[in-house]
Amino acid sequence: MANSNKPSKTWIRSLVIPFLALVVVASACGDDGGSAAGGRSFCEIALDLEAEADAFDFISADELAIETVFRSNANALAAGIASAPNDQVKADLQEIAQGTSEMIAILEAAEWSIFSADPAKMDAITDSATFNDASDRVTEYSDTNCGTGAESDDSDDGDVDLGDFSENPDAVNDILNNPAFRAPMVEGMVQNGFTETQANCFLDNLSIDTLLTFDASTVSEDSARELYGNLIANCGISPDQFG
């Protein structure tokens, strides 16, 4: 099969990658203060939370792990408020805690599947000026006085590879079944020459295995033939529609 008849690797990746910013949204409440048991200093709490946030992978985490980290962060924020070094930090932590509580409610409604949650509702919290200003001030105080951020590297923020989903294939299904994510995907495919029916059929037949296959540096003729056979049989999509 000629290379020109294979789906464009970049094009397929573009179906999913733009919608992974929700991962960054989720990590926002893990970097800014909070804590565990009482009696600990604000700086101890901040350093522990930073380490926990750096070690946590929202893509591979299952629903129980997502619930655990969000509830842990809520408890941590409560303890951070109790040990806040000044009134400004305390007020900012209270603002972050309120946003975290709202995110927990959204995730509860989505049964703790972060990719089933409504991204617009999550964005409304984390994009608000009050939440961001509070987060920035707490981060600045913590970095200056507690040593957080000393080894952090923000250059990879939001840099998600499709291979990250290999340990949690259900996340792909959650993305494809979430209307907030699916509608822009369908719209993008229609703009690229597919009918709406073909676009929905393609997404219905999409899987993590397919995405990983076409994310690889080389695509075997057998795997391409199998995908095209399914798409032609089920969706009426011809290989040359992928460009």
Side-chain angles (χ1 to χ4, degrees):
M1 184 174 292
N3 288 339
S4 61
N5 287 336
K6 295 178 181 177
S8 163
K9 170 183 172 181
T10 301
W11 185 85
I12 289 182
R13 286 172 60 87
S14 72
L15 288 174
V16 177
I17 293 297
F19 306 102
L20 299 183
L22 189 58
V23 177
V24 180
V25 169
S27 65
C29 64
D31 294 332
D32 295 318
S35 87
R40 301 165 65 209
S41 71
F42 170 82
C43 284
E44 287 175 325
I45 292 167
L47 287 165
D48 282 352
L49 268 184
E50 181 178 62
E52 291 172 7
D54 288 344
F56 196 83
D57 182 359
F58 279 87
I59 295 178
S60 63
D62 61 16
E63 288 81 359
L64 178 59
I66 294 292
E67 180 178 5
T68 298
V69 74
F70 269 89
R71 294 201 185 282
S72 175
N73 282 342
N75 291 334
L77 285 165
I81 290 168
S83 63
N86 58 53
D87 289 342
Q88 180 64 68
V89 170
K90 182 176 182 178
D92 288 335
L93 288 175
Q94 289 171 330
E95 177 67 32
I96 297 168
Q98 176 61 34
T100 300
S101 177
E102 293 171 5
M103 284 190 277
I104 285 175
I106 294 169
L107 288 167
E108 280 183 321
E111 298 182 343
W112 295 101
S113 168
I114 198 164
F115 293 109
S116 294
D118 187 333
K121 291 181 179 179
M122 297 288 276
D123 287 346
I125 299 168
T126 58
D127 287 348
S128 71
T130 53
F131 185 94
N132 278 304
D133 288 347
S135 178
D136 288 345
R137 283 191 295 266
V138 171
T139 298
E140 181 179 1
Y141 181 93
S142 179
D143 289 351
T144 300
N145 296 280
C146 304
T148 55
E151 298 180 3
S152 66
D153 181 2
D154 295 333
S155 62
D156 292 333
D157 283 356
D159 184 12
V160 180
D161 189 88
L162 288 172
D164 297 336
F165 286 93
S166 60
E167 296 181 15
N168 187 12
D170 289 343
V172 174
N173 293 329
D174 290 341
I175 291 172
L176 296 174
N177 290 324
N178 187 334
F181 295 150
R182 188 180 182 105
M185 295 182 195
V186 171
E187 181 180 354
M189 292 185 69
V190 170
Q191 291 175 353
N192 279 277
F194 295 82
T195 67
E196 185 173 339
T197 298
Q198 287 176 329
N200 278 300
C201 184
F202 173 78
L203 296 176
D204 287 340
N205 283 273
L206 199 58
S207 69
I208 184 60
D209 291 336
T210 301
L211 286 169
L212 290 176
T213 295
F214 287 94
D215 185 50
S217 57
T218 59
V219 180
S220 73
E221 185 172 340
D222 287 342
S223 62
R225 184 183 294 112
E226 180 180 0
L227 173 65
Y228 290 138
N230 290 336
L231 291 178
I232 291 171
N234 297 327
C235 306
I237 296 175
S238 107
D240 57 13
Q241 285 182 264
F242 289 94

